[in-house]
Amino acid sequence: MDDGKPSGPRTKWWSRPSTDRDRPAGPEEDGAAATGVADASGTAPAGPGGTAGTTAGERLPHTTPDGDYTPAPPAAAPPPAADRGTPAPAEPAPPAAEPHVHRTQPLHAPDEYSTPPYGGPGPWAPAPPVQRPVATPAHGTPVPPPYAGTDGHGTAAPPVAAAPAQGGQEHHTDPWPPPHTVPQQHPVPQPPGQTPQQTSQWMRYDPWGAPRQPLSHPGPGQGVDDVRPRKARRGTVLVGAALLALLAGGIGGGVGAYVERNGGLTTVELPQSGRDAGGRAPDSVAGIAASALPGVVTLHVNGSAESGTGTGFVLDDRGHILTNNHVVAPAGSNGDITVTFSGGESAAAEIVGKDSGYDLAVVKVTGVSGLTPLPLGNSDNVRVGDPVVAIGAPFDLSNTVTSGIISAKERPITAGGEKGDGTDVSYVDALQTDAPINPGNSGGPLVDAEARVIGINSAIRAADSGSGLDGGQSGSIGLGFAIPINQGKRVAEELISTGKATHPVIGVTLDMEFTGDGAKVGGKAAGGASAVTEGGPADDAGIRSGDIITEVEGQRVHSGEELIVKIRAHRPGDRLGLVLTRGGKELSMTLTLGSASGT
């Protein structure tokens, strides 16, 4: 019977149903799809070929022994997506005009018994997708917001098809997609104003990767902010800043070294006053030195046993030069004396006369013109505190100028005494000055504010050896002594005139061992003679042995040396007033000084 049976050819049980996706849908199919109505058996209407479309989970029809078939029982509900392994995405509607895709035909007939290798799914099955085996985040790691609701690499996951409602149209899927083709994925709609993100099939999320690594790819996804690139950028900035600091430091160091070595980037010129005319006030130290230096000379003395250096100054234009006796003493009777002037000229000199008691000597140079004699002042006019300038050659440093003041007057000093017989002892009623005087200054002039000579520098007080001549003494400690020019002038005149100097005397022998206050007249002279020279000035004045002289011209006398100094400060023939003590009584008397030849 053909009642109720289709008139077309029968469908064999091994025939594979086809969805005919590559052909346009007919009107009937369009209507069924649009209305979503199924036939009474719960299947979609048959296509033009007499075959009915089936779903992926649909069972094959059951064939009866007579070749007839009966519809397969309804398929069970599809298992959950987790049980099938992969979710079954809902198939989107095909585009309006989809290009024709050529279906690859199998190379052999289907196997009735589905025996491999000829069973399903067939050689046209596409290769499964693969991914790179890279580190993945740990299980349970929350997915960053950019990947929430995606398939792990930034692409929105297709929605899982829910079980069709009763009476609804079941969507048919092809269990064997075309070989060598990749299912087309439709882009997820983007909000207005945003650009779709480009993704890659390799950028997949691995829930079993290391913590804080939401993506399994080595680099950040496009359009996704990652912490690591930000750190990399920060590190690059830090490295660049460090290099810039090193470069700046190197440049700064180089500039600093150049400035230190070359005195700056430009030539430095400090402000400076111009040259003046060179004039100085006549009463200034510079003015005094400029006026006195041409008349000062340096003496170099060489003898058979010793030598020495000293200073002198020109007395007249005939070549007479005044100096100290102890300066020329090393020359002896046949030594050499060389005089060097301030301008550098040198000339030989010879001794005119000398006196050890006054420590003065005169030498003369010949054949020298243009001499500059120094003017002589008056030592009686000097007052304590007056400014003075000392000129000499300390330690053979010629033309040395020092300045100071008059510290004291009428200082009784004795110098010399190296011979031991007293013949070389000098007694000086000296001017004291704090102008520095050192060995080599001996014989040089001590001048006042008008460049006039008021003294001859002769001795210094050393800290270690007491008073004495500067020969062999230490440096200056501010205690210098000069022979007053009044005494020097008289002795120099006598030495130039006669070659010898005269000493004023009173005609007594003093007891130099007396330790009391004053100068005591001795009891006996040498050879047993009387201590008071018969017919001498003291005898005529009435002085006797044992008298103690305490004052000379109103000045107190404390020792025999002071009495000699006071007497030699005068000329022979001068009248002196004396005060003495005899038997406890004080007597006053006047005498006239006698004369004695010096040595």
Side-chain angles (χ1 to χ4, degrees):
M1 295 297 292
D2 294 332
D3 293 339
K5 296 181 180 180
S7 60
R10 295 180 179 180
T11 303
K12 303 299 180 179
W13 66 268
W14 46 264
S15 297
R16 189 181 302 273
S18 175
T19 56
D20 294 335
R21 297 179 183 178
D22 56 343
R23 63 182 176 80
E28 296 176 359
E29 293 176 342
D30 291 341
T35 59
V37 179
D39 56 10
S41 61
T43 60
T51 61
T54 61
T55 62
E58 186 180 21
R59 296 185 179 182
L60 295 177
H62 177 69
T63 306
T64 61
D66 59 358
D68 209 348
Y69 76 95
T70 59
D83 296 338
R84 291 185 309 219
T86 58
E91 182 179 356
E98 185 177 0
H100 175 74
V101 179
H102 176 70
R103 298 288 300 273
T104 304
Q105 299 297 328
L107 302 180
H108 56 81
D111 185 10
E112 297 180 359
Y113 306 100
S114 300
T115 303
Y118 304 107
W124 49 80
V130 296
Q131 61 182 9
R132 294 180 180 176
V134 296
T136 57
H139 182 65
T141 303
V143 181
Y147 296 92
T150 66
D151 59 357
H153 62 277
T155 304
V160 179
Q166 185 176 2
Q169 181 180 3
E170 181 182 0
H171 294 277
H172 299 277
T173 59
D174 190 354
W176 299 284
H180 309 293
T181 60
V182 178
Q184 182 178 5
Q185 296 181 353
H186 296 274
V188 178
Q190 299 290 335
Q194 295 187 1
T195 303
Q197 299 178 354
Q198 299 296 330
T199 62
S200 172
Q201 64 177 346
W202 307 110
M203 301 170 55
R204 299 186 182 276
Y205 168 70
D206 190 349
W208 291 274
R212 300 182 180 275
Q213 296 182 2
L215 300 180
S216 60
H217 59 88
Q222 298 182 5
V224 179
D225 293 335
D226 197 358
V227 177
R228 288 175 295 176
R230 187 175 302 171
K231 291 183 178 179
R233 290 193 296 271
R234 185 181 298 110
T236 304
V237 172
L238 293 177
V239 171
L243 293 177
L244 181 61
L246 290 176
L247 179 61
I251 295 176
V255 172
Y258 179 84
V259 170
E260 180 181 1
R261 294 178 181 177
N262 300 278
L265 300 177
T266 59
T267 302
V268 177
E269 294 185 2
L270 300 176
Q272 184 182 19
S273 61
R275 295 177 62 90
D276 58 11
R280 295 292 184 272
D283 57 349
S284 66
V285 175
I288 294 169
S291 178
L293 275 173
V296 180
V297 299
T298 302
L299 285 80
H300 295 90
V301 181
N302 295 306
S304 59
E306 55 183 337
S307 62
T309 302
T311 308
F313 59 94
V314 178
L315 292 175
D316 54 30
D317 54 3
R318 294 182 295 172
H320 292 102
I321 297 171
L322 181 62
T323 186
N324 283 135
N325 177 67
H326 71 264
V327 171
V328 298
S333 58
N334 56 1
D336 297 330
I337 300 175
T338 303
V339 175
T340 302
F341 296 89
S342 61
E345 302 86 354
S346 297
E350 60 181 8
I351 297 176
V352 174
K354 59 182 181 178
D355 188 271
S356 61
Y358 290 109
D359 193 22
L360 293 173
V362 175
V363 299
K364 183 179 180 180
V365 295
T366 57
V368 178
S369 60
L371 298 177
T372 306
L374 292 184
L376 303 181
N378 190 335
S379 55
D380 291 339
N381 298 332
V382 175
R383 297 294 181 266
V384 174
D386 286 348
V388 292
V389 173
I391 303 175
F395 300 100
D396 203 15
L397 299 173
S398 58
N399 301 327
T400 297
V401 177
T402 58
S403 64
I405 62 171
I406 296 296
S407 301
K409 293 177 61 175
E410 299 177 351
R411 289 291 192 190
I413 62 170
T414 58
E418 288 82 3
K419 292 183 179 180
D421 56 0
T423 57
D424 62 338
V425 177
S426 60
Y427 299 90
V428 179
D429 194 17
L431 297 173
Q432 179 182 335
T433 179
D434 65 348
I437 296 174
N438 293 284
N441 275 104
S442 294
L446 183 69
V447 300
D448 60 10
E450 297 182 9
R452 298 174 300 191
V453 180
I454 59 173
I456 302 101
N457 300 319
S458 300
I460 61 174
R461 174 77 180 191
D464 57 351
S465 61
S467 61
L469 298 178
D470 64 348
Q473 299 298 314
S474 300
S476 173
I477 60 173
L479 295 174
F481 302 96
I483 300 171
I485 192 59
N486 290 0
Q487 183 177 344
K489 176 180 178 296
R490 181 184 69 81
V491 173
E493 291 172 346
E494 292 180 352
L495 293 176
I496 293 172
S497 301
T498 64
K500 290 187 178 183
T502 59
H503 297 173
V505 294
I506 61 174
V508 297
T509 301
L510 297 177
D511 182 5
M512 305 303 292
E513 301 297 329
F514 177 69
T515 58
D517 190 22
K520 183 180 182 180
V521 178
K524 295 291 182 179
S530 175
V532 177
T533 304
E534 186 178 354
D539 189 22
D540 294 341
I543 297 174
R544 301 176 184 178
S545 296
D547 290 346
I548 300 174
I549 302 173
T550 58
E551 290 185 10
V552 175
E553 290 293 319
Q555 295 180 351
R556 190 71 182 180
V557 174
H558 302 284
S559 64
E561 288 83 359
E562 288 190 16
L563 179 60
I564 298 173
V565 169
K566 297 299 181 183
I567 291 172
R568 290 192 177 181
H570 296 82
R571 293 173 178 267
D574 291 346
R575 293 180 61 86
L576 295 180
L578 301 177
V579 175
L580 54 86
T581 300
R582 180 185 300 167
K585 294 181 180 181
E586 190 175 89
L587 302 175
S588 297
M589 59 185 63
T590 301
L591 58 78
T592 301
L593 294 174
S595 178
S597 296
T599 56

